[in-house]
Amino acid sequence: MRARINRQDILVALLLFILPLLLFGPVTLGSRTLLPLDNLFVGEPWASSADELSVGRPHNALLSDLILENYVWKRFITQSIQARSIPLWDPYLFAGHPFLANGQHSALYPLSLIFYVMALTKAYGWFTVIQFWLAGLFTYIFLRVLGANRLGGLVGGITFQLSGFFVVSVVFTMIIAAAVWLPLVLTMIEIVIRKQEQKGPVAYSPVPYIVLGAFVLGIQILAGHVEITYYVLLVSAFYALCRLIVLQRRQRVWGPTLRMGGWLVVMVLLGLGLGAIQFVPLYEVASRNFRVGSVTYADVAGWALPSRRIISFLVPDFFGNPSHHTYFDLIARRWLPVGLNAYGQVNPLCPYCTGWDTKTSVEAGAYVGILPLLLAVMAVWGWAADVIADKRNKGSNSAMLSSPDRPLHRMPQVWIFALLAVLSLLFAFGTPLYALLYHGLPFWNQLHSPFRWVYPFTLSIAVLAGLGATYLARRVSPRDRADAEAKQASASRYSLYSFSRYVGWLAFWGGLAGVIVMLVILILPAPFIRLAQLVVDGSELAQHAFADGGQFLGYQWPNFFKFFLFTMASGAVLRICRCPIYLPRRLGGLAVWKPLAVVVIALDLLAAGYGFNPAADPSLLDFRPPVVEWLLERQVEDPHFRIASFNAPGEPRTFIANTGTYWNLEDVRGYDSIIPAQYARYMGLIQEQGDLLYNRIAPIYAPGYHALDSALLDLLGVRYVLTTQEIPNDSYRLVYDEEVRVYENLDVLPRAFVVPCAETV
């Protein structure tokens, strides 16, 4: 815990920075941007200019939130800074709504400074790299405080920072910003309790660590994602409770336990106080959100991970990937674009891409790598083996071991994080246990994403993997043991090292067998294609994405080849960790398996995450559709009008909500997870708001021509309606007809007016 920072720690920190930089090199060191600008060109008025600007299909259509929400927020903040005003109110969406209170924009988050000093097109890439780096660095620090060696800390840090959870959450900048701080909060909790364990029943003052922990929690709250803050508080409370139970059992007195519990409560209260500038107004806005009471428990449980998704914990792209638009044709042995599905249609679940599940890759991004899973199993098995050995030896030998070599059962973090991993999976998959959270915790019924329990699961595996790597690295040979009992325990078939040999053997040879099968399929694909056809015929979901068994097998072949390859490599690491093979002294003289483990984990996670996020041409942001030019000219004569859109069901949304903010056009629609319930009810009086399920105030949908004549729409000041359809209403006049049509509402009411009398209706 008191290990001093030295050159090796600096090198570890540098490596933890370089790895995410490799993942996002094109949008940081290169000329591209992380903003998915190509996603705009699916609908009008952008689609008409797509060919002229050489914009093809979206790289990842699932990531539009980054350009529709987060970019809109950051742009509004930077405009407010330039105008030297506080962005309390956003006039551009929902006919105006609270902005600074919302919090999801992360305006007050200290590291958001990068958005205020860099061009936004470049800032998103660097912000993401920095957050990934902090995620890895804080996990490394936490594991080192727990007693892990540098290898264990590095393994845990890489696993956490490059995990599927972080890679697929880049679209939600506020989520990755909020999620990175949990390991550091747990570090403060661990230090506070560990010092009390060292002091015995003697009271001590943990004020410095309490203040630092409160500061960390305050920064986490300012990141602006209240759901992740809820997870941080829950996991921290769970960890603190478990550690306090261990403290009480070890010291057999309640005084120190109650004191430390009280101090930790103070830390949380101080942290909430530091974040109150954002937390308090956010609480007020969220309490008036449209989500309150909008869905039932059955609805929320239905949005959990389906049981079939367990395979994606091992083969992350088994159910497809929105950034994958091709498959490997095993007959022609070349990559071909994904075309029409088995019904002769475009894939409705993921147009022109390989996604074939109702649960998307962003919601189900749970991959942590093969070797980290095996190392986590090593940690749990080693803990159980130590418990058995300790009972056999009645604890006499175990108590004599020094701190660096203490048995796993002296590390309560093993069972704490193993239990947390199990609970996280039970919650993520929507088991009846989730009802305890839904009905038992305040405001939890507003969180419609049980699948986000992948976040605590990911941290749990990262910590367990780090501990597993640490104990494999501490290879104490039997001749160095002090007595025959320890020698016998080390040789036991239940020992960690014996178990690692068996698991390594199984993983290596199983992976090798799988690689051989994949090569056989490559050489003789025909019989395997027939088997794949049976799978497609039996799966309606697969038929949505693939035309036949050949396409399905061609897509899955690289997925399973990578799985078997990294399983074999992981098995090799576990096998050679017992072998006395070392690097040359000029390279540090390390046991070969240690750098090999780091390389295998890094390559596995980089291969899984590379290409998921976009690298778009930033010049696309400069494109201004002609209709926008026309609307801006109308603003000169009437700066206070609002717009809406009229859509046929199923067609791409015209002038999709939030995009008007790019040019300061005021809209009655909007896209946000926090929408005032009063406004949602108001719009529901004009037309039923079925899009609230997707956090949207909807356009007027055909054939709802009567909704266009609603006096409530006139009252909102909707002067122009954009559409690709024809509006036959007498109160509307066609005033623009190019890439889209614009109809003027002749009955529009001014923003303010005087009436001689009022009538209640």
Side-chain angles (χ1 to χ4, degrees):
M1 185 172 68
R2 291 185 176 179
R4 290 178 296 179
I5 297 176
N6 60 22
R7 181 167 169 255
Q8 290 179 325
D9 293 308
I10 295 174
L11 291 176
V12 166
L14 181 61
L15 178 60
L16 290 172
F17 181 78
I18 290 174
L19 290 175
L21 194 61
L22 291 175
L23 198 59
F24 297 99
V27 298
T28 51
L29 302 177
S31 61
R32 314 295 280 182
T33 180
L34 192 60
L35 292 168
L37 299 172
D38 50 347
N39 289 17
L40 295 173
F41 289 80
V42 172
E44 295 294 358
W46 289 269
S48 298
S49 303
D51 292 340
E52 177 186 346
L53 297 173
S54 301
V55 180
R57 297 189 183 106
H59 172 76
N60 190 331
L62 205 61
L63 305 183
S64 297
D65 285 9
L66 195 61
I67 187 66
L68 295 181
E69 287 190 310
N70 207 279
Y71 171 75
V72 168
W73 299 333
K74 295 298 192 294
R75 182 182 181 278
F76 184 62
I77 295 169
T78 55
Q79 280 187 325
S80 300
I81 292 174
Q82 292 168 2
R84 298 184 180 180
S85 63
I86 301 176
L88 297 174
W89 183 261
D90 178 4
Y92 303 119
L93 304 178
F94 310 119
H97 72 127
F99 182 80
L100 192 61
N102 188 308
Q104 297 182 97
H105 42 67
S106 308
L108 304 179
Y109 181 58
L111 294 176
S112 287
L113 180 64
I114 192 171
F115 293 105
Y116 313 147
V117 298
M118 291 183 69
L120 291 180
T121 52
K122 187 61 67 175
Y124 278 95
W126 283 108
F127 181 84
T128 300
V129 168
I130 291 172
Q131 300 309 308
F132 275 51
W133 175 59
L134 292 178
L137 186 63
F138 293 160
T139 306
Y140 174 79
I141 293 172
F142 179 49
L143 279 160
R144 292 289 283 154
V145 167
L146 294 184
N149 59 13
R150 288 187 177 85
L151 172 66
L154 184 57
V155 164
I158 294 174
T159 301
F160 193 53
Q161 71 171 184
L162 299 182
S163 64
F165 168 78
F166 271 100
V167 169
V168 304
S169 297
V170 167
V171 61
F172 305 118
T173 303
M174 61 285 191
I175 287 184
I176 63 172
V180 302
W181 298 94
L182 177 55
L184 201 55
V185 174
L186 297 181
T187 300
M188 295 302 107
I189 294 173
E190 175 62 27
I191 291 176
V192 168
I193 297 176
R194 180 86 65 83
K195 282 189 169 293
Q196 183 61 69
E197 287 178 335
Q198 295 171 347
K199 297 286 185 181
V202 178
Y204 90 103
S205 175
V207 169
Y209 306 107
I210 294 298
V211 171
L212 183 56
F215 178 74
V216 171
L217 184 58
I219 292 178
Q220 192 282 330
I221 293 172
L222 294 179
H225 200 272
V226 67
E227 182 178 4
I228 296 299
T229 295
Y230 216 149
Y231 280 104
V232 168
L233 293 174
L234 276 181
V235 173
S236 298
F238 172 80
Y239 184 77
L241 178 62
C242 292
R243 287 295 283 118
L244 289 171
I245 291 173
V246 173
L247 175 64
Q248 198 281 328
R249 287 177 60 86
R250 286 178 175 175
Q251 298 194 345
R252 305 290 183 181
V253 290
W254 282 99
T257 302
L258 295 176
R259 279 198 305 273
M260 292 305 102
W263 275 115
L264 292 176
V265 170
V266 170
M267 184 184 81
V268 172
L269 293 177
L270 285 175
L272 293 175
L274 291 173
I277 190 173
Q278 184 64 81
F279 179 74
V280 172
L282 178 58
Y283 169 82
E284 182 179 1
V285 170
S287 65
R288 292 166 172 78
N289 192 18
F290 78 99
R291 286 188 173 193
V292 177
S294 62
V295 296
T296 65
Y297 170 72
D299 294 327
V300 175
W303 297 327
L305 295 180
S307 57
R308 62 179 176 270
R309 267 289 173 176
I310 195 69
I311 192 173
S312 62
F313 284 66
L314 300 173
V315 185
D317 294 327
F318 178 79
F319 289 101
N321 188 313
S323 66
H324 293 175
H325 306 281
T326 60
Y327 71 98
F328 184 68
D329 190 308
L330 292 167
I331 302 297
R333 295 187 183 177
R334 59 194 178 102
W335 294 93
L336 296 176
V338 175
L340 302 180
N341 61 19
Y343 303 104
Q345 303 169 344
V346 174
N347 180 3
L349 299 175
C350 188
Y352 300 105
C353 76
T354 58
W356 58 285
D357 194 5
T358 53
K359 189 59 64 178
T360 69
S361 297
V362 169
E363 296 168 329
Y367 190 63
V368 292
I370 303 300
L371 184 53
L373 284 174
L374 294 179
L375 290 174
V377 172
M378 295 295 107
V380 176
W381 181 274
W383 171 77
D386 277 344
V387 169
I388 294 172
D390 188 57
K391 289 183 177 179
R392 182 182 301 143
N393 299 324
K394 298 180 181 179
S396 58
N397 180 70
S398 299
M400 295 173 59
L401 292 175
S402 62
S403 176
D405 292 318
R406 63 178 182 268
L408 280 171
H409 74 280
R410 302 292 186 189
M411 294 281 289
Q413 291 79 13
V414 175
W415 66 261
I416 291 174
F417 282 101
L419 179 58
L420 178 59
V422 172
L423 289 174
S424 298
L425 288 178
L426 293 175
F427 292 142
F429 282 92
T431 64
L433 197 63
Y434 190 80
L436 296 177
L437 302 177
Y438 185 86
H439 297 294
L441 295 177
F443 299 106
W444 197 268
N445 59 359
Q446 288 196 46
L447 306 182
H448 299 170
S449 47
F451 53 82
R452 203 151 277 152
W453 275 96
V454 164
Y455 167 46
F457 169 80
T458 298
L459 179 62
S460 299
I461 297 300
V463 172
L464 290 173
L467 295 177
T470 295
Y471 280 91
L472 285 179
R474 291 171 180 166
R475 299 174 60 245
V476 182
S477 62
R479 66 171 178 267
D480 295 329
R481 299 281 187 171
D483 52 66
E485 288 186 2
K487 182 177 180 179
Q488 182 179 2
S490 178
S492 169
R493 59 176 177 166
Y494 299 110
S495 72
L496 176 63
Y497 305 114
S498 297
F499 183 66
S500 68
R501 181 181 64 186
Y502 299 138
V503 172
W505 183 91
L506 180 63
F508 177 80
W509 292 108
L512 179 60
V515 168
I516 293 173
V517 170
M518 291 294 103
L519 294 177
V520 171
I521 293 175
L522 183 63
I523 297 171
L524 299 171
F528 297 96
I529 290 176
R530 288 193 290 271
L531 291 175
Q533 186 63 51
L534 296 177
V535 176
V536 173
D537 291 341
S539 171
E540 184 178 351
L541 288 174
Q543 293 172 30
H544 281 307
F546 303 102
D548 50 40
Q551 275 193 10
F552 180 76
L553 183 62
Y555 177 71
Q556 298 297 353
W557 189 89
N559 295 332
F560 278 93
F561 184 80
K562 287 188 290 186
F563 166 71
F564 288 124
L565 187 65
F566 283 110
T567 299
M568 182 176 68
S570 301
V573 170
L574 295 181
R575 286 289 294 154
I576 67 173
C577 74
R578 296 170 51 86
C579 303
I581 306 175
Y582 300 94
L583 293 173
R585 189 175 298 275
R586 67 177 183 277
L587 297 178
L590 290 173
V592 168
W593 77 272
K594 295 180 180 180
L596 182 60
V598 172
V599 170
V600 168
I601 293 173
L603 288 178
D604 188 0
L605 294 174
L606 286 173
Y610 187 79
F612 183 85
N613 290 286
D617 181 358
S619 66
L620 295 178
L621 195 60
D622 299 327
F623 173 71
R624 181 180 290 180
V627 68
V628 172
E629 297 281 3
W630 186 87
L631 288 170
L632 293 178
E633 291 174 3
R634 305 288 78 73
Q635 269 192 342
V636 175
E637 57 194 55
D638 177 13
H640 300 298
F641 70 80
R642 293 192 177 108
I643 62 173
S645 66
F646 181 75
N647 270 81
E651 75 165 328
R653 294 180 179 90
T654 303
F655 210 76
I656 190 168
N658 292 20
T659 54
T661 306
Y662 302 166
W663 302 283
N664 299 340
L665 296 171
E666 298 184 17
D667 201 334
V668 297
R669 305 165 301 157
Y671 175 37
D672 201 314
S673 59
I674 299 180
I675 303 173
Q678 182 183 21
Y679 186 71
R681 290 193 298 269
Y682 181 97
M683 295 301 292
L685 295 174
I686 299 174
Q687 188 178 66
E688 183 179 355
Q689 293 296 308
D691 284 6
L692 282 176
L693 186 63
Y694 309 104
N695 302 328
R696 295 176 183 270
I697 292 295
I700 305 299
Y701 281 118
Y705 300 106
H706 65 283
L708 292 170
D709 287 329
S710 171
L712 297 178
L713 201 63
D714 302 335
L715 191 62
L716 288 177
V718 176
R719 188 180 195 92
Y720 299 109
V721 175
L722 289 78
T723 182
T724 60
Q725 309 297 311
E726 181 179 351
I727 297 179
N729 303 40
D730 293 337
S731 58
Y732 283 83
R733 179 181 64 187
L734 181 65
V735 293
Y736 180 91
D737 189 9
E738 292 187 28
E739 74 275 26
V740 295
R741 293 172 174 174
V742 179
Y743 285 85
E744 183 179 8
N745 178 12
L746 302 178
D747 293 336
V748 63
L749 293 172
R751 190 68 63 90
F753 49 87
V754 177
V755 295
C757 61
E759 180 180 350
T760 302
V761 298

